[in-house]
Amino acid sequence: MHIRNVRVYREDKSFAEGDIYIKDGLFAEPQAVCGDQEESVDGEGGYAIPGLIDIHFHGCMGYDFCDGTQEAIKGIAEYEASVGVTGINPATMTLPVEELEAILATGAAYGKTQEEHPDPERADFLGVNMEGPFISEAKKGAQDARNILLCDVDIFHRFQRAAEGTVKYIGVAPEREGALDFVEAVKDEVHVSLAHTNADYDSAKAAYDRGACHAVHLYNAMPAFTHRAPGVVGAVADSPHVMAELICDGVHIHPAVVRATFKMLGEDRIIFISDSMRATGMPDGRYTLGGLDVDVKGNHATLVSDGALAGSVTNLMDCVRTAVKKMDIPLGTAVACATMNPAKSLGVYESRGSITVGKKADLVLLDQDLNLKAVIKDGKMLTGKGR
């Protein structure tokens, strides 16, 4: 395949007019393609960016990863690919341990089947982000308090065995009993993230000093960042090895705070996530998240019980658009936060996350207004059956 007349996204976060060549599902040098009877695609002067990677979301199109079925994961993966998200690392909720084990086992089985029988119409399954159960009841958000547990290394290993090693992130509330010892015990096996926590600055910083390296949806489900009590946000700022998730759906974080966070952390430490739930891509109405009822109206999803935000109903590509058009984040920076940065965090940057010769040819073509024109997955143009 030869893609011409397009502004190509580069690893330095800039765009350059040029061509893209694809052969055998990988980005290729021109000489490897020229002379073949290759498919030619006119980019019409728009943008070519890498396929997006969402490391934290729950579902879409009526499905949730915690449904625990192959059908649900397949439906999720088809929708995500159709909107330009070509790599997925879905998140679990705070559920009973045995139920989580079954969900993780289903995810691992799906991943193996996908490797054996690739389908370019579906986003690649890259692992799992466990948002619970080792969190704080004080900041549980849409998590079910009945299933919250203290950190337990043995239970984590049960999760990882069920997942066949595919758990990439495990969330903890560092202020709770045993949490810091847990961080030190598992830090070499998984990314430990601070999630749904009521930790003050000292507790959060201690966790990061002991080996935690990630922050789940910064600002949400944690204490506010203030001048005398900087909390988790301040600890993230003071821990250069930590990467932080941001939900740029226009609901969870004010645009001024998003801009301030880039100034505070720098563009290389921020990962855009959607945190989308099953109502994404669906009409307004009542849905569920982690067994709890959620009302969805427009781009707001709130718990029926107490009105707390319950994830988002915005896919990651729309979050990128919102960051650029409504939050004044430069396009090159926003793209990095949804492609290169998550790929680096997951440890898959050698094979995906940029338009680089030898990497997987996962590509999104946008027009000059950032509307989706086409998705190319594994070097093949999607037919759009997931839309």
Side-chain angles (χ1 to χ4, degrees), residues 13 25 63 65 70 193 253 281 283 380:
K13 305 183 185 70
Y63 297 109
F65 180 66
Q70 299 279 329
S193 53
I253 312 172
K380 298 180 180 178

Side-chain angles (χ1 to χ4, degrees), residues 36-365:
D36 295 347
Q37 295 297 313
E38 80 273 3
E39 179 183 0
S40 181
V41 177
D42 185 355
E44 299 178 344
Y47 299 100
I49 64 173
L52 307 191
I53 300 171
D54 198 344
I55 68 165
H56 183 159
F57 75 107
H58 298 277
C60 53
M61 295 302 291
Y63 297 109
D64 191 297
F65 180 66
C66 285
D67 291 344
T69 67
Q70 299 279 329
E71 177 190 7
I73 304 175
K74 180 179 178 181
I76 288 168
E78 287 183 350
Y79 170 81
E80 294 297 333
S82 77
V83 296
V85 181
T86 58
I88 56 173
N89 185 80
T92 56
M93 295 292 288
T94 297
L95 299 167
V97 170
E98 294 78 10
E99 189 173 340
L100 285 169
E101 287 180 297
I103 291 164
L104 294 168
T106 300
Y110 175 88
K112 287 195 294 187
T113 300
Q114 189 180 45
E115 286 183 7
E116 295 168 0
H117 306 286
D119 182 351
E121 298 284 341
R122 287 187 247 159
D124 292 333
F125 179 80
L126 303 179
V128 180
N129 189 332
M130 295 199 73
E131 198 171 358
F134 306 135
I135 60 174
S136 163
E137 185 171 348
K139 293 292 182 180
K140 62 183 177 60
Q143 308 281 340
D144 192 333
R146 295 172 296 179
N147 301 314
I148 292 174
L149 301 174
L150 292 175
C151 289
D152 188 306
V153 174
D154 291 335
I155 290 178
F156 166 71
H157 285 149
R158 285 174 59 181
F159 291 150
Q160 197 64 290
R161 282 194 297 271
E164 299 186 34
T166 59
V167 176
K168 304 300 182 183
Y169 304 87
I170 183 75
V172 303
E175 72 276 16
R176 303 198 73 209
E177 180 184 347
L180 296 181
D181 289 338
F182 176 87
V183 170
E184 198 151 29
V186 305
K187 65 182 180 181
D188 295 327
E189 305 173 48
V190 65
H191 294 301
V192 181
S193 53
L194 303 196
H196 289 268
T197 169
N198 202 33
D200 59 14
Y201 173 89
D202 291 337
S203 296
K205 188 64 166 62
Y208 287 132
D209 290 345
R210 297 277 285 269
C213 63
H214 196 80
V216 166
H217 44 51
L218 200 67
Y219 300 105
N220 298 112
M222 62 181 62
F225 173 54
T226 70
H227 62 297
R228 289 195 183 94
V232 177
V233 176
V236 170
D238 283 347
S239 304
H241 68 288
V242 174
M243 300 192 79
E245 303 171 355
L246 288 184
I247 309 171
C248 292
D249 62 346
V251 174
H252 281 77
I253 312 172
H254 192 280
V257 176
V258 172
R259 292 189 292 270
T261 305
F262 273 94
K263 293 174 183 176
M264 182 167 57
L265 301 185
E267 60 188 21
D268 294 332
R269 294 177 56 197
I270 293 173
I271 297 174
F272 286 170
I273 63 166
S274 71
D275 198 25
S276 68
M277 50 90 73
R278 70 169 78 243
T280 304
M282 301 286 285
D284 290 354
R286 182 159 291 183
Y287 298 86
T288 61
L289 179 65
L292 304 178
D293 288 336
V294 177
D295 278 339
V296 173
K297 185 174 182 179
N299 62 348
H300 285 72
T302 55
L303 286 182
V304 172
S305 60
D306 61 9
L309 283 175
S312 88
V313 287
T314 306
N315 64 60
L316 185 59
M317 184 62 76
D318 281 336
C319 287
V320 169
R321 291 189 188 95
T322 298
V324 174
K325 293 188 170 186
K326 298 182 179 180
M327 298 177 173
D328 297 325
I329 303 302
L331 177 59
T333 298
V335 170
C337 293
T339 58
M340 294 195 291
N341 293 358
K344 290 174 181 176
S345 180
L346 281 169
V348 296
Y349 191 57
E350 289 186 358
S351 61
R352 65 178 72 232
S354 67
I355 303 171
T356 304
V357 171
K359 290 191 178 186
K360 283 174 56 67
D362 294 350
L363 189 71
V364 181
L365 299 182

